[in-house]
Amino acid sequence: MTTTTSSGPAVAVAGISKRYGAVQALSDVTLAVAPGRFVSLLGPSGCGKTTLMRIIAGLDRQSEGRVLIDGKDMSRTAPHRRPVGLVFQRYALFPHMTVAENVGFALRLRGADRSATQARVQELLDLFQLGQFGGRSIDQLSGGQAQRVALARALADSPPVLLLDEPMSALDLKLRQAMQLELRRLQKQIGATFLFVTHDQDEAMVMSDEIVLMNNGEIVQRGTPEEVYGRPRSLFSARFLGEANLFSGPLRREAGATLLDAGSLLLKSHAAADFAATKGWACIRPEAIRIAASSDNKAERRPNAAAGRVREAIFQGAYRRYVVELDGHSLLVQQPAGSDAVPTFSEADPVSVSWSESGITYIEDADNA
Amino acid sequence: MKRRDFLVRQGQFLTALLLAGALPPAIGSRPAGAQTANVTLKFLGWQGYDDPKAMAPLGDKGITLDAQYVTGNAEIVTKLRSGGLGAIDVVTPGISAVRPLITADLIQAIDFTKMPSAAAFFPQFRGLDWQKADGKDFAAPVMWSDYPISYRADLFTDLPNKWADLGDEKYRGRLITLDDPANLWVFAKTLFNTSDFASLTKTQLEKTVEAYMPIKKNLVAVSPSFGDIVDVLARGDAHASVLGWRFIEVQLKKKGMAGASHVPTDGTFLWCDSYCIANQAPHLDETYAFINQMLSPEANAIIAAGTGSGVINSEAVKFLPEDQRKLYPYDQLGDFLAKNPFYISPRLEAEGDIASLRDWTAAWDQVKLS
Amino acid sequence: MVAPAGLFMAIFFIVPLGVLFAYSFGATNGIDVSFGFSLDNYTKVVTSPLFRDLIWRSLWVGSCVGIFSIALAFPLAYAITLGPLQRAGTFVLLMVIVSLFTAYIVRIYAWRTLLGKQGAIGQLLAAAGVPGAPLEALSYSKAAVIITLVSILVPVAVLPLTSALSGIPPACIAAARSLGATAFGAFARITVPLASRGIISAFALTFVIAAGDFITPQLLGGPQAQLAGNAVVSRFGLSFDWPLGSAIAFTLIFLMGALLWAMTLVLRRLGIKDRP
């Protein structure tokens, strides 16, 4: 169904900056999205992700830089000539039209004949399980139905690129989770390129082939959800996606390994041999930490291991979390629950913790640490 | 009778003017020991004939006025008929309403011997036909005026000899007039040589309308009030008002413009308003005192200055503001009144072939709106 | 809330209007008005070429004023809601409301000054070398009445339009653009239909005020541009024929209602619905 002809990126922006008066909303953003991919623009509110999306759609004009869609320079092209569909945060359905009229809007504009329009509209309504809702007015729809109508409307003219601006933020959690999977399935089915704007890291991880993490008008990191989560390249990445145990200290090299000295803790990894900084941070995700019973509270300092005492033990259904009090540090640990193979602990239990080298990600010391 | 609209607009200015003049500023101050009756008279009539400045000396006698204004003479008849008798003391009908008021037994005869001011009335304003019944007087005239052409002497130099000359094409776009059927009466008088418009037939009305049509073609606007006409003339948007008023002359001169009035050789007609005492007036003595005061030289001049009309008290002329003393030909009043008679308004009720007031206003509407 | 509002309407609107309506079936002998059940007055209104002309002229002038007022008010309302003057919106709206408090009569006289022979517009046209003929047509003419009423009623039209336009989510317009609508297309298919209730209100308000006006035609109309209101005023004033005056007024009211109803119907047929 996609009409992508070249093998180049479906959407690319190069050197995009946007200023509103004195406010720099985007600075020098460059990004290329391959066809057929589901890419999330993820970041806190005000990071510039929506602005970037509106610039791609042509609804805002960039101060500098270029926008290429399907290989063509569309930096100055009017929005109605850009082959992108758009789904808005609050759907922006046309209240003076029925569901079917909304969905068929783009087709009618293009001058498609009546029967072709009707057929396509019905096809889309069926695709979104809205078959019998065509004649309804917009205010008779539930939130989830309205959202599906908005999607159907944006997809009616089969745009090769669909831009979605936080389309699920108005839905409740259950519905949102169901829609996430549905949307992902849909994208695979039609094969279009989806550029999905969200501030919800779970949503981004569940749905995306690729996450583009943004902060302060810049792209901070991009990669697969595994890469961005597993190998955060900045403190911001580490903290924004999931939870992180972060330790700072001087770095030194020793026999091909990199060591970070965080006082009572010593972290050591061979995986980061090329890491050149002399001072930095180490990030360990809570689920990368092993926890075991221990009677020896004053063990000698070893790399990638420590002894302490459980300060808090929290049961969360699928897993248990512990806050472990170490000498001068506290550590968040997460263990799967419901398995007999994994021992459980209570508050004040003495424990030992350890992690493998691969669980450590070194992060350069940034100014905003 | 839209001239009253004009009064409202000019009232404040004149008040200031008169206060600065030679009038005794007697309002509110009451000499100790004076007799006080504390009577409030009920007045039903035209605004202006209750001028508080003119009434000032009555305040010392404890006489005050509760004034209710009318917008047409017919209202005086209606209100007296529908429960006004016994409550209302004094009314101010125009000529046309006096006869109906007498006939319907709504007003009482006036004893001029109880009214010392009457001694100084111009002789022409005594014993007028239309105020008499059974040899008794029923009305005391207060103000009168005529309908001249009012014009800008600097712009309107080609004065018409006769009224009908205003239909000449050279006046196209230069004339304005008041929204009033009196426009037609002026022409009816020249056509049928009478000012008793109650005697004219519907056919005569039609002829009058025909005679007026050439003038209508020359009109720039039909204005709602004389005040508005002054404004249009002052702007130069029109040069002359077909139906004019001598007071326009005064107003234009105040604006530094050459205002003037002109009566074509075929003459015009006059109106006159009077004070009448309602039957069963609750305060007869005070009503006499009120009318006597308002017709005294000073008060009559104040009312005339305020309404731009002519006085009926010969002693009043010298109390008029200087620019109004020559407004009416008081020196040759006899000649003027002989040539330009008082008019009788068409009847309210339709009767046979006679054109009623409604016929005249409908005809005027047709002229002005079509 | 409804009961007191209803009572208010009943006392200050329905009852006086009802009395007036009752008059229109009555008669007068020139002194008293008597009630009755006669259609004579309406027959007079319908058969008299004068009244017919006046009523048509009122409807025509009212429609022109309504259309021109909206044409001028819409860009302003748009600019302060969806357009470039959003930040100044409150201030502009305040100015508009303040201008509503300027005395109506003062503005009529201001236009007389501008449109008169010695007026600014005349001077300007004269300076530009335009011959005098159009000047004569401007002061004391139908054009003068329409120009003046439009100038008076533009602020009246701005209010419902602003209210309607401010209710349109900018995202709807953006959505239409992204779905392939040109700027004008989005305006015609989204903005205008969504503002249609405001447009209809603005038209109804300005149309009714203009078609029923008698002061502006009296002061600026000249003998060729008098409206039905002027005939009504004479009936209630000089000629003391309240029944006929009421009949003219109610014929005008009825036709105004019919025209507005027909307009709404046509718009609905065109797919421009009076919602949301």
Side-chain angles (χ1 to χ4, degrees), chain A residues 115-137:
Chain A
S115 61
T117 302
Q118 275 174 354
R120 174 69 177 146
V121 167
Q122 198 52 51
E123 180 190 346
L124 283 157
L125 291 178
D126 290 341
L127 177 67
F128 287 96
Q129 292 121 50
L130 291 164
Q132 66 277 49
F133 289 84
R136 287 224 186 158
S137 77

Side-chain angles (χ1 to χ4, degrees), chain A residues 79-80 86 93-96 109, chain C residues 172 177-178 180-181 189 194 275:
Chain A
H80 64 281
L86 205 49
L93 296 176
F94 306 135
H96 57 306
L109 276 180
Chain C
C172 276
R177 295 299 311 275
S178 80
R189 286 165 183 269
L194 288 183
R275 52 188 170 112

Side-chain angles (χ1 to χ4, degrees), chain B residues 25 52 68 72 190 199 220 252 262 266 281 286 299-300 303 327 332 366:
Chain B
Q68 192 185 356
T190 67
S199 69
V220 171
L252 284 174
H262 170 67
D266 38 359
E286 289 80 3
N300 203 216
I303 297 172
L327 212 51
Q332 303 115 30
Q366 185 84 33

Side-chain angles (χ1 to χ4, degrees), chain B residues 22 29 168 204 288 363:
Chain B
S29 69
D168 194 294
Q204 286 174 312
Y288 269 105

Side-chain angles (χ1 to χ4, degrees), chain C residues 1-9:
Chain C
M1 288 301 280
V2 175
L7 197 69
F8 184 88
M9 281 293 283

